[in-house]
Coordinates of all heavy atoms in Angstrom, one line a residue:
T1 N -12.0 -47.5 4.5 CA -11.9 -48.9 4.1 C -11.0 -49.1 2.9 O -10.6 -50.3 2.6 CB -13.3 -49.5 3.8 OG1 -13.9 -48.7 2.7 CG2 -14.2 -49.4 5.0
Q2 N -10.6 -48.1 2.2 CA -9.7 -48.2 1.1 C -9.0 -46.9 0.9 O -9.4 -45.8 1.4 CB -10.5 -48.6 -0.2 CG -11.5 -47.5 -0.6 CD -12.3 -48.0 -1.8 OE1 -12.1 -49.1 -2.3 NE2 -13.3 -47.2 -2.2
T3 N -7.9 -47.0 0.2 CA -7.1 -45.8 -0.1 C -7.8 -44.9 -1.1 O -8.4 -45.3 -2.0 CB -5.7 -46.2 -0.7 OG1 -5.0 -47.0 0.2 CG2 -4.9 -45.0 -1.0
R4 N -7.8 -43.6 -0.8 CA -8.5 -42.6 -1.6 C -7.6 -41.5 -2.1 O -6.7 -41.0 -1.3 CB -9.7 -42.0 -0.8 CG -10.5 -41.0 -1.6 CD -11.5 -40.4 -0.7 NE -12.3 -39.4 -1.4 CZ -12.0 -38.2 -1.7 NH1 -10.8 -37.7 -1.2 NH2 -12.8 -37.3 -2.3
S5 N -7.7 -41.1 -3.3 CA -6.9 -40.0 -3.9 C -7.6 -38.7 -3.6 O -8.9 -38.6 -3.7 CB -6.7 -40.1 -5.4 OG -6.0 -41.3 -5.6
G6 N -6.9 -37.7 -3.1 CA -7.5 -36.4 -2.9 C -7.5 -35.5 -4.1 O -7.0 -35.8 -5.2
Y7 N -8.1 -34.3 -4.0 CA -8.3 -33.4 -5.1 C -6.9 -33.0 -5.7 O -6.8 -32.8 -6.9 CB -9.1 -32.2 -4.7 CG -10.5 -32.5 -4.2 CD1 -11.0 -31.9 -3.1 CD2 -11.3 -33.4 -5.0 CE1 -12.3 -32.2 -2.7 CE2 -12.6 -33.6 -4.6 CZ -13.1 -33.0 -3.4 OH -14.4 -33.3 -3.0
F8 N -5.9 -32.8 -4.8 CA -4.6 -32.3 -5.3 C -3.9 -33.4 -6.1 O -3.1 -33.1 -7.0 CB -3.7 -31.9 -4.2 CG -4.0 -30.5 -3.7 CD1 -4.9 -30.3 -2.6 CD2 -3.5 -29.4 -4.3 CE1 -5.2 -29.0 -2.1 CE2 -3.8 -28.1 -3.9 CZ -4.6 -27.9 -2.8
E9 N -4.2 -34.6 -5.8 CA -3.6 -35.7 -6.6 C -4.4 -35.9 -7.9 O -3.8 -36.1 -9.0 CB -3.7 -37.0 -5.8 CG -3.0 -38.2 -6.5 CD -2.9 -39.4 -5.6 OE1 -3.4 -39.4 -4.4 OE2 -2.4 -40.5 -6.1
V10 N -5.7 -35.8 -7.9 CA -6.5 -36.0 -9.1 C -6.3 -34.9 -10.1 O -6.3 -35.1 -11.3 CB -8.0 -36.1 -8.7 CG1 -8.9 -36.1 -9.9 CG2 -8.3 -37.3 -7.8
A11 N -6.2 -33.6 -9.6 CA -6.1 -32.5 -10.4 C -4.6 -32.2 -10.9 O -4.4 -31.1 -11.3 CB -6.6 -31.2 -9.7
D12 N -3.7 -33.1 -10.7 CA -2.3 -32.9 -11.1 C -2.3 -32.5 -12.6 O -2.8 -33.2 -13.5 CB -1.5 -34.2 -10.9 CG -0.1 -34.0 -11.1 OD1 0.4 -32.8 -11.0 OD2 0.7 -35.0 -11.2
G13 N -1.6 -31.3 -12.8 CA -1.6 -30.8 -14.2 C -2.7 -29.9 -14.5 O -2.7 -29.3 -15.6
G14 N -3.7 -29.7 -13.6 CA -4.8 -28.9 -13.9 C -4.9 -27.7 -12.9 O -3.9 -27.2 -12.4
T15 N -6.2 -27.3 -12.6 CA -6.4 -26.2 -11.7 C -7.4 -26.6 -10.6 O -8.4 -27.3 -10.9 CB -7.1 -25.0 -12.6 OG1 -6.2 -24.7 -13.6 CG2 -7.3 -23.8 -11.7
I16 N -7.2 -26.1 -9.4 CA -8.1 -26.3 -8.3 C -8.6 -24.9 -7.9 O -7.8 -24.0 -7.6 CB -7.4 -27.0 -7.1 CG1 -7.2 -28.4 -7.4 CG2 -8.2 -26.8 -5.9 CD1 -6.6 -29.2 -6.3
F17 N -9.9 -24.8 -7.8 CA -10.5 -23.6 -7.3 C -11.0 -23.8 -5.9 O -11.9 -24.6 -5.6 CB -11.7 -23.2 -8.2 CG -12.6 -22.1 -7.7 CD1 -12.0 -20.9 -7.1 CD2 -14.0 -22.1 -7.7 CE1 -12.8 -19.9 -6.6 CE2 -14.7 -21.1 -7.3 CZ -14.2 -20.0 -6.7
L18 N -10.4 -23.1 -4.9 CA -10.8 -23.2 -3.5 C -11.7 -22.1 -3.1 O -11.3 -21.0 -2.8 CB -9.5 -23.2 -2.6 CG -8.5 -24.3 -2.9 CD1 -7.3 -24.1 -2.0 CD2 -9.1 -25.7 -2.6
D19 N -13.0 -22.4 -3.2 CA -14.0 -21.3 -2.9 C -14.1 -21.3 -1.3 O -14.0 -22.3 -0.6 CB -15.3 -21.7 -3.5 CG -16.3 -20.5 -3.5 OD1 -15.9 -19.4 -3.2 OD2 -17.5 -20.7 -3.8
E20 N -14.4 -20.1 -0.8 CA -14.5 -19.8 0.6 C -13.2 -20.3 1.4 O -13.3 -21.0 2.4 CB -15.7 -20.5 1.2 CG -17.0 -20.1 0.6 CD -17.3 -18.6 0.7 OE1 -16.7 -17.9 1.6 OE2 -18.1 -18.0 -0.1
V21 N -12.1 -20.0 0.8 CA -10.8 -20.4 1.4 C -10.6 -19.9 2.8 O -9.9 -20.5 3.6 CB -9.6 -20.0 0.5 CG1 -9.4 -18.5 0.6 CG2 -8.4 -20.8 0.9
G22 N -11.3 -18.8 3.2 CA -11.2 -18.2 4.5 C -11.8 -19.1 5.6 O -11.5 -18.9 6.8
E23 N -12.5 -20.1 5.2 CA -13.1 -21.1 6.2 C -12.3 -22.3 6.5 O -12.7 -23.1 7.3 CB -14.5 -21.5 5.7 CG -15.5 -20.4 5.3 CD -15.9 -19.6 6.5 OE1 -15.9 -20.1 7.6 OE2 -16.1 -18.4 6.3
L24 N -11.1 -22.4 5.9 CA -10.2 -23.5 6.1 C -9.7 -23.6 7.5 O -9.4 -22.5 8.1 CB -9.0 -23.5 5.2 CG -9.2 -23.9 3.7 CD1 -7.9 -23.7 2.9 CD2 -9.6 -25.4 3.6
P25 N -9.7 -24.7 8.2 CA -9.1 -24.9 9.5 C -7.6 -24.5 9.5 O -7.0 -24.7 8.4 CB -9.3 -26.3 9.9 CG -10.4 -26.8 8.9 CD -10.3 -26.0 7.7
L26 N -7.1 -24.1 10.6 CA -5.6 -23.7 10.6 C -4.7 -24.9 10.3 O -3.7 -24.7 9.7 CB -5.3 -23.2 12.0 CG -5.9 -21.8 12.4 CD1 -5.7 -21.5 13.8 CD2 -5.3 -20.7 11.5
T27 N -5.1 -26.1 10.7 CA -4.2 -27.3 10.4 C -4.2 -27.5 8.9 O -3.1 -27.9 8.3 CB -4.7 -28.5 11.1 OG1 -6.1 -28.7 10.8 CG2 -4.6 -28.4 12.6
T28 N -5.3 -27.4 8.2 CA -5.3 -27.5 6.8 C -4.6 -26.4 6.1 O -4.0 -26.6 5.0 CB -6.8 -27.6 6.3 OG1 -7.5 -28.5 7.1 CG2 -6.9 -27.9 4.8
Q29 N -4.6 -25.2 6.7 CA -3.9 -24.1 6.1 C -2.4 -24.4 6.0 O -1.7 -24.0 5.1 CB -4.1 -22.8 6.9 CG -5.6 -22.3 6.8 CD -5.8 -21.1 7.6 OE1 -4.9 -20.3 7.8 NE2 -7.0 -20.9 8.1
V30 N -1.9 -25.1 7.0 CA -0.4 -25.4 7.1 C -0.1 -26.4 5.9 O 0.9 -26.2 5.2 CB -0.1 -26.1 8.4 CG1 1.4 -26.5 8.4 CG2 -0.3 -25.1 9.6
R31 N -1.0 -27.4 5.7 CA -0.8 -28.3 4.6 C -0.8 -27.6 3.2 O 0.0 -27.8 2.3 CB -1.8 -29.4 4.6 CG -1.7 -30.4 5.8 CD -2.9 -31.3 5.8 NE -2.7 -32.4 6.7 CZ -2.3 -33.7 6.4 NH1 -2.1 -33.9 5.1 NH2 -2.2 -34.6 7.3
L32 N -1.8 -26.7 3.1 CA -1.9 -26.0 1.8 C -0.7 -25.1 1.6 O -0.3 -24.9 0.4 CB -3.2 -25.1 1.9 CG -3.6 -24.3 0.7 CD1 -3.7 -25.2 -0.6 CD2 -4.8 -23.5 0.9
L33 N -0.2 -24.5 2.6 CA 1.0 -23.6 2.5 C 2.2 -24.4 1.9 O 2.9 -23.9 1.1 CB 1.4 -23.0 3.8 CG 2.6 -22.0 3.8 CD1 2.3 -20.8 3.0 CD2 2.9 -21.6 5.3
R34 N 2.3 -25.7 2.3 CA 3.4 -26.5 1.8 C 3.2 -26.8 0.4 O 4.2 -26.9 -0.4 CB 3.5 -27.8 2.7 CG 4.7 -28.7 2.3 CD 4.8 -29.9 3.2 NE 6.0 -30.6 2.9 CZ 6.3 -31.8 3.5 NH1 5.5 -32.3 4.5 NH2 7.4 -32.4 3.1
V35 N 2.0 -27.1 0.0 CA 1.7 -27.3 -1.5 C 2.0 -26.1 -2.3 O 2.6 -26.2 -3.4 CB 0.2 -27.7 -1.7 CG1 -0.1 -27.8 -3.1 CG2 -0.1 -29.0 -0.9
L36 N 1.7 -24.9 -1.8 CA 2.0 -23.7 -2.5 C 3.5 -23.4 -2.6 O 4.0 -22.9 -3.6 CB 1.3 -22.5 -1.9 CG -0.2 -22.4 -2.1 CD1 -0.8 -21.4 -1.1 CD2 -0.5 -22.0 -3.5
E37 N 4.2 -23.8 -1.6 CA 5.7 -23.5 -1.6 C 6.5 -24.5 -2.5 O 7.4 -24.0 -3.2 CB 6.2 -23.6 -0.1 CG 5.7 -22.4 0.7 CD 6.2 -22.6 2.2 OE1 6.6 -23.7 2.6 OE2 6.2 -21.6 2.9
N38 N 6.2 -25.8 -2.4 CA 7.0 -26.7 -3.1 C 6.3 -27.9 -3.8 O 6.8 -28.8 -4.3 CB 8.1 -27.4 -2.2 CG 7.5 -27.9 -0.9 OD1 6.4 -28.3 -0.9 ND2 8.3 -27.8 0.2
G39 N 4.9 -27.7 -3.8 CA 4.1 -28.7 -4.5 C 4.1 -30.1 -3.8 O 3.8 -31.1 -4.5

């Protein structure tokens, strides 16, 4: 119903701890790889 900011937007300039990262779906892994490569 409204626009929502995700963790990567909220934590800009900080640290994100991804616990149990092995449980991520493959589609989400592709998005995460792009964040790691060029932010």
Side-chain angles (χ1 to χ4, degrees):
T1 56
Q2 59 184 2
T3 301
R4 180 185 181 279
S5 298
Y7 297 136
F8 279 97
E9 185 176 357
V10 173
D12 189 17
T15 304
I16 286 185
F17 170 44
L18 299 177
D19 196 10
E20 303 300 339
V21 71
E23 305 296 331
L24 281 176
L26 289 172
T27 54
T28 308
Q29 293 178 29
V30 177
R31 288 173 172 262
L32 180 58
L33 182 62
R34 186 174 183 184
V35 175
L36 285 165
E37 287 177 344
N38 48 33

